[in-house]
Amino acid sequence: MSDEKKMIIYQVLPRLFGNNNNHCVYNGDITVNGCGKMADFTAKTLEEIKKLGTTHIWYTGIIEHATQTDYRRYNISPDHPAIVKGKAGSPYAIKDYYDVDPDLATDVPGRMKEFENLVSRTHRAGLKVIIDFVPNHVARQYHSDMQPDGTVELGANDDPNYAFSPYNNFYYIPQSELHGQFDMKGSAAEPYRESPAKATGNNRFDAYPNINDWYETIKLNYGVDYQNGGTCCFSPIPDTWMKMLDILLFWASKRIDGFRCDMAEMVPVEFWEWVIPQVKEKYPDLLFIAEVYNPAEYQNYLFRGKFDYLYDKVGLYDTLRNVACGYDSATAITRSWQRLGGIEKRMLNFLENHDEQRIASDFFASNPRKGIPALIVSACMNTNPMMIYFGQEFGELGMDTEGFSGRDGRTTIFDYWSVDTIRRWRNGGKFDGKMLTEEQKQLYAVYRKVLTLCNEEQAIAQGAFFDLMYANENGWRFNEHKQYTFLRKHEKELLFIIVNFDNQPVDIAINVPSHAFDFLQIPQMDVYEATDILTGKKENICLLPYKATEVSLSAHSGKILKITL
């Protein structure tokens, strides 16, 4: 992990990004709705993405997954429609760990070459590449057409007479056929058959998954006997471990820069402890980011499991969402980082991703500007990575009814669709801003400013952090429920950062305690010239332990006041 640069990750679904169709229909197939391609990430496109302050792109949905689109003419076996979510299918129902999703290729037989070219183009643009690794589950009809010589396909040597065996790759329900509590026929002539039934991806160890289960996936066996008290059989090394090591090394050899590991905590930490050092031995700079939701396991997956970064979902994301929506006090932000107990720099911050609702949606804040204070806090409070989701920077609504993904405030991962704000921004590859509204342009300008400052300002990229909230509880002219303030410092540069979650403009007075002056070694002065580096405007402020610092803020906004000491 380099401390030189702060990581700014741009998450994007290639399937949606380059799709120019502005008349997509509900549940439309690929011929009706169209599909974005890897080729849409041209040198110009990547340059534009980089301008946002981006350092890494997470291309979501690269590895081949189950789909209702028929690619039989390319020797890709079809999937039964009853066990595919949506016409396009979930990028997390992996069908072949050694192949690229054919939807994303301009020339399907050359899809792997197209991916390799995408990696090269991304690197030439000065950006790094992250892809998904989905270790916990695969598509129900997993079948690798591209299995390399000398490796064995998952499940090929399983003995389905055993519910659990450390030598099996899957878990079985012996002598049982799958009886899904959902439509097992779909648009097919015959219902889907699976005998014996395999356990479902979300740890469902019976033959009756329902519509709320991850019914389109099957659970992979890493040597944990879940039905007998979670007994672990890790010696000899389980067969699944060896196969997953091969898969990680295969993708690492494609010159990618990192893996975002899906539902990493559903896979035993012992596996990560074993596999990550082996991959890093050959590829020392490769990043491993874990999607984890259980704070009790954070230390375990970082220190034992050897992950570089973990999702900060149940901490900072949930907190900032509640504060932005007015359900919680801004004092909760302090509690959120304090609970991490020193691992803050190893957490990945975000306000949107493919699982979460869009800030601008009716289900979240219904106004993208309400997310600006949260953006400033999330991006600027530490040296750890920040991620944004494509379209977030324009206030994408996520309020379409696409197909399998209903009107839920999320951008679909299951359907062929087009993202309105991204289509306007791209404007056929011109990126000239002509299709964007004034509001979209203004919001983008804020995102670009905040995210580029993350690496332009050493105080954000690698400086010290000091939370001022404890000195401002029950403040005379400071509402600790609606405002949040902290300091960042590097060498002779001090950043005084204040945000306002309120829908009213405010004039506030902030106490800076003497401990802050000692800890950060700030000279006390009655008048400092400060520049708000978000706007370039200058103002005079005092920095004294016995006199409050006065600042004015507009609604849903923030200031980053830079002072040279």
Side-chain angles (χ1 to χ4, degrees):
M1 287 179 300
S2 162
D3 289 330
E4 298 309 304
K5 263 197 142 179
K6 184 176 168 82
M7 285 170 60
I8 307 292
I9 302 171
Y10 190 78
Q11 184 194 0
V12 58
L13 267 98
R15 177 200 290 164
L16 303 180
F17 181 85
N19 190 355
N20 288 326
N21 184 0
N22 61 355
H23 295 293
C24 288
V25 302
Y26 172 80
N27 221 18
D29 64 18
I30 194 167
T31 54
V32 173
N33 281 1
C35 184
K37 306 290 177 190
M38 292 181 280
D40 296 318
F41 294 90
T42 60
K44 168 77 173 158
T45 302
L46 293 163
E47 183 192 327
E48 292 294 328
I49 290 171
K50 191 177 184 207
K51 279 183 191 168
L52 193 60
T54 309
T55 60
H56 293 63
I57 301 188
W58 165 16
Y59 292 112
T60 304
I62 290 292
I63 301 179
E64 187 191 340
H65 56 80
T67 179
Q68 292 194 43
T69 302
D70 191 340
Y71 285 104
R72 262 178 292 201
R73 65 188 180 282
Y74 300 107
N75 297 319
I76 295 171
S77 53
D79 299 286
H80 194 289
I83 49 160
V84 179
K85 288 182 175 173
K87 285 282 191 284
S90 166
Y92 296 98
I94 300 294
K95 177 168 151 187
D96 184 349
Y97 275 119
Y98 288 101
D99 207 353
V100 168
D101 182 24
D103 276 350
L104 304 180
T106 311
D107 167 50
V108 174
R111 58 196 178 275
M112 185 57 80
K113 185 73 192 142
E114 285 192 30
F115 173 69
E116 289 164 354
N117 292 342
L118 173 65
V119 173
S120 296
R121 279 199 306 282
T122 308
H123 287 161
R124 276 199 302 277
L127 294 163
K128 293 188 170 174
V129 174
I130 295 170
I131 66 166
D132 290 286
F133 172 55
V134 186
N136 175 66
H137 48 267
V138 292
R140 284 212 106 90
Q141 289 180 300
Y142 184 88
H143 171 64
S144 178
D145 308 299
M146 293 293 173
Q147 190 80 31
D149 293 343
T151 59
V152 180
E153 178 164 280
L154 285 164
N157 298 329
D158 279 14
D159 184 342
N161 295 309
Y162 292 94
F164 167 78
S165 159
Y167 305 104
N168 283 352
N169 299 134
F170 302 125
Y171 295 93
Y172 295 89
I173 297 95
Q175 288 90 49
S176 294
E177 190 169 332
L178 184 74
H179 292 287
Q181 307 302 297
F182 55 90
D183 176 10
M184 291 274 285
K185 195 172 168 198
S187 57
E190 294 293 325
Y192 173 70
R193 299 284 301 272
E194 185 178 292
S195 183
K198 298 183 184 84
T200 300
N202 58 322
N203 291 6
R204 179 101 197 220
F205 295 95
D206 62 32
Y208 308 98
N210 65 43
I211 201 80
N212 298 316
D213 288 309
W214 304 347
Y215 64 83
E216 81 281 27
T217 67
I218 45 181
K219 173 85 176 171
L220 282 168
N221 169 4
Y222 284 82
V224 181
D225 187 356
Y226 289 95
Q227 290 169 285
N228 287 300
T231 323
C232 298
C233 305
F234 299 149
S235 180
I237 297 297
D239 185 68
T240 305
W241 291 26
M242 310 296 270
K243 287 178 173 157
M244 287 296 164
L245 172 60
D246 286 343
I247 290 159
L248 285 164
L249 290 171
F250 171 82
W251 288 103
S253 75
K254 302 291 176 191
R255 297 174 49 242
I256 66 160
D257 303 285
F259 292 104
R260 175 266 185 191
C261 301
D262 185 68
M263 296 311 293
E265 68 187 329
M266 292 184 78
V267 171
V269 74
E270 290 85 353
F271 164 71
W272 300 112
E273 178 183 29
W274 175 84
V275 83
I276 290 177
Q278 291 187 74
V279 178
K280 288 204 175 205
E281 199 174 315
K282 290 191 176 177
Y283 303 96
D285 297 327
L286 204 66
L287 286 172
F288 282 83
I289 300 169
E291 178 190 22
V292 288
Y293 296 112
N294 178 3
E297 288 292 333
Y298 285 179
Q299 303 263 354
N300 205 11
Y301 277 75
L302 279 176
F303 299 111
R304 189 172 174 191
K306 308 282 192 289
F307 275 98
D308 295 297
Y309 299 105
L310 310 179
Y311 264 42
D312 199 351
K313 153 76 174 87
V314 299
L316 194 63
Y317 168 85
D318 284 352
T319 301
L320 287 172
R321 177 173 176 147
N322 286 337
V323 177
C325 293
Y327 308 142
D328 206 345
S329 160
T331 55
I333 301 168
T334 302
R335 291 197 297 277
S336 169
W337 72 256
Q338 285 176 339
R339 266 189 221 113
L340 291 168
I343 57 168
E344 306 89 275
K345 293 179 183 179
R346 306 280 296 276
M347 304 304 285
L348 168 67
N349 294 352
F350 58 86
L351 297 169
E352 287 190 0
N353 65 37
H354 67 277
D355 287 317
E356 307 302 341
Q357 289 164 327
R358 294 286 195 173
I359 296 166
S361 77
D362 297 355
F363 298 90
F364 191 150
S366 70
N367 171 359
R369 296 200 72 84
K370 286 188 179 178
I372 291 172
L375 169 74
I376 295 169
V377 172
S378 207
C380 301
M381 77 187 291
N382 219 315
T383 58
N384 57 330
M386 175 71 187
M387 179 170 81
I388 73 152
Y389 190 41
F390 76 129
Q392 177 184 342
E393 69 273 36
F394 300 108
E396 178 60 38
L397 293 173
M399 290 299 290
D400 294 337
T401 310
E402 300 102 336
F404 184 86
S405 177
R407 192 177 164 90
D408 59 0
R410 295 176 180 85
T411 292
T412 180
I413 64 168
F414 307 107
D415 307 287
Y416 294 109
W417 205 254
S418 174
V419 179
D420 179 65
T421 56
I422 293 292
R423 200 174 57 242
R424 289 165 174 273
W425 175 50
R426 289 178 67 245
N427 195 16
K430 292 197 282 287
F431 296 95
D432 54 12
K434 286 187 178 165
M435 302 285 286
L436 293 168
T437 65
E438 277 313 305
E439 290 81 35
Q440 287 164 347
K441 287 180 194 170
Q442 286 165 12
L443 188 71
Y444 172 80
V446 173
Y447 270 82
R448 181 171 167 177
K449 191 73 192 164
V450 171
L451 297 173
T452 51
L453 284 174
C454 286
N455 276 306
E456 283 174 359
E457 295 296 331
Q458 292 305 299
I460 300 174
Q462 45 188 328
F465 163 80
F466 193 97
D467 192 318
L468 292 168
M469 293 297 278
Y470 78 95
N472 288 283
E473 285 174 18
N474 311 311
W476 163 59
R477 276 172 47 210
F478 185 90
N479 181 349
E480 76 264 37
H481 307 303
K482 294 292 183 187
Q483 284 98 45
Y484 182 72
T485 179
F486 58 98
L487 301 169
R488 297 295 307 275
K489 178 174 180 274
H490 181 74
E491 292 176 356
K492 296 281 180 209
E493 294 177 341
L494 179 73
L495 300 182
F496 199 142
I497 303 176
I498 319 102
V499 298
N500 178 27
F501 289 95
D502 208 341
N503 55 10
Q504 306 289 329
V506 290
D507 295 319
I508 55 174
I510 302 161
N511 297 318
V512 181
S514 19
H515 179 50
F517 290 90
D518 299 339
F519 179 76
L520 297 174
Q521 297 181 312
I522 308 166
Q524 300 179 18
M525 271 183 75
D526 201 23
V527 181
Y528 267 113
E529 186 180 72
T531 305
D532 177 5
I533 52 177
L534 292 174
T535 62
K537 290 181 182 159
K538 294 191 182 328
E539 55 187 271
N540 289 334
I541 63 166
C542 84
L543 267 185
L544 295 166
Y546 51 83
K547 186 178 175 188
T549 305
E550 299 193 5
V551 181
S552 301
L553 293 169
S554 50
H556 306 307
S557 76
K559 282 185 175 176
I560 303 180
L561 297 172
K562 184 175 181 177
I563 297 149
T564 305
L565 302 173

